[in-house]
């Protein structure tokens, strides 16, 4: 599996390119301000990006959707419950003093259907709490899970933004994420990767609630 990660100021939000070594088909996850670097990485690997997959629609995760869409002409996927955030990207940017261009319309809302690229399949798990439409993306037959801002190395997603709920977030982590094996690699929206086993054993936010 090909995996490229990029993060830039001001949010240092992780964006991902995940590709199939054999077929060179790929997905882009959460293109933000680092979108140009993700585009360059995909081209360097000669990848054909089939889908743009969003874990949620907070502004730092969607500022690069337009550039990725223009570069790859790939459909944009989002959970329906986060559409209000997506549709108000400009206003979200203004909250942080940023000028944000409205991203292109969502093409597909997640359902139970798997999303295939090359030899891999993405299974979508609804994990609300950080926001109503948060999802985690499981790459099947690998130990890789892309969790957006639901879970971090040694921390959890904030719940003080509109639509956030700490009890809901904790339930999503314990019932959905912690159903994965300990060796599952967790790729978060910010910071370094971790594993399910490490967070199950040592995450202070989960051990104190």
């Amino acid at each position: 599996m090909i995996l490229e990660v990029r993060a830039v100021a001001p949010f240092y939000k992780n964006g991902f390119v995940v590709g199939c070594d054999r077929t060179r088909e790929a997905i882009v996850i959460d293109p933000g301000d680092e979108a140009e670097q993700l585009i360059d990485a995909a081209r360097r690997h000669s990848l054909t990006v089939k889908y743009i997959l969003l874990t949620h629609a907070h502004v730092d995760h969607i500022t690069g959707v337009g550039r990725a869409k223009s570069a790859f002409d790939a459909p944009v996927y989002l959970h329906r419950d986060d559409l209000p955030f997506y549709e108000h990207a400009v206003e979200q940017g203004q909250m942080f003093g940023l000028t944000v261009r409205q991203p292109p319309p969502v093409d597909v809302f997640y359902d139970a259907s798997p999303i295939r690229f090359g030899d891999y399949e993405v299974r979508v798990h609804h994990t609300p709490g950080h926001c109503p439409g948060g999802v985690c993306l499981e790459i099947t037959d690998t130990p890789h899970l892309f969790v957006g801002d639901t879970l971090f190395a040694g921390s959890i997603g904030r719940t003080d933004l509109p639509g956030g709920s700490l009890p809901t977030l904790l339930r999503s982590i314990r019932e959905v994420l912690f159903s994965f094996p300990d060796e599952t690699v967790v790729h978060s929206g910010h910071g370094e990767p971790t594993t399910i086993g490490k967070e199950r054993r040592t995450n202070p936010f989960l051990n104190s609630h």
Side-chain angles (χ1 to χ4, degrees), residues 161-202:
L161 297 172
S165 166
L166 179 59
T168 302
L169 181 69
L170 294 173
R171 186 165 57 250
S172 290
I173 294 171
R174 290 181 173 131
E175 294 183 3
V176 180
L177 299 190
F178 282 2
S179 69
F180 286 90
D182 282 353
E183 64 270 20
T184 305
V185 180
V186 173
H187 301 278
S188 303
H190 302 265
E192 296 300 313
T194 182
T195 66
I196 290 294
K198 181 177 181 180
E199 299 313 307
R200 196 196 315 271
R201 292 189 305 271
T202 67

Side-chain angles (χ1 to χ4, degrees), residues 71-83:
F72 303 124
D73 192 28
V76 177
Y77 282 61
L78 179 71
H79 193 282
R80 187 181 296 274
D81 289 352
D82 254 27
L83 184 60

Side-chain angles (χ1 to χ4, degrees), residues 29-154:
I29 299 173
D30 288 352
D33 292 339
E34 75 297 325
E36 291 301 330
Q37 288 93 326
L38 297 178
I39 293 166
D40 290 344
R43 288 174 174 163
R44 190 174 69 253
H45 288 287
S46 300
L47 297 174
T48 299
V49 173
K50 305 292 289 184
Y51 309 103
I52 299 166
L53 306 181
L54 306 178
T55 62
H56 63 296
H58 283 159
V59 66
D60 51 332
H61 290 252
I62 62 175
T63 53
V65 172
R67 280 169 286 171
K69 177 83 171 179
S70 296
F72 303 124
D73 192 28
V76 177
Y77 282 61
L78 179 71
H79 193 282
R80 187 181 296 274
D81 289 352
D82 254 27
L83 184 60
F85 295 117
Y86 192 86
E87 292 180 333
H88 291 88
V90 173
E91 291 85 349
Q92 283 195 70
Q94 291 170 347
M95 291 172 56
F96 294 96
L98 302 173
T99 300
V100 173
R101 182 175 295 179
Q102 182 63 34
V106 174
D107 295 293
V108 182
F109 293 112
Y110 294 120
D111 56 23
S113 304
I115 301 165
R116 295 181 175 85
F117 67 102
D119 296 331
Y120 300 102
E121 184 176 278
V122 180
R123 291 181 185 162
V124 181
H125 303 271
H126 186 206
T127 49
H130 176 62
C131 55
V135 302
C136 294
L137 305 172
E138 172 196 0
I139 310 296
T140 60
D141 298 325
T142 78
H144 293 276
L145 188 63
F146 296 82
V147 302
D149 290 355
T150 297
L151 178 66
F152 301 110

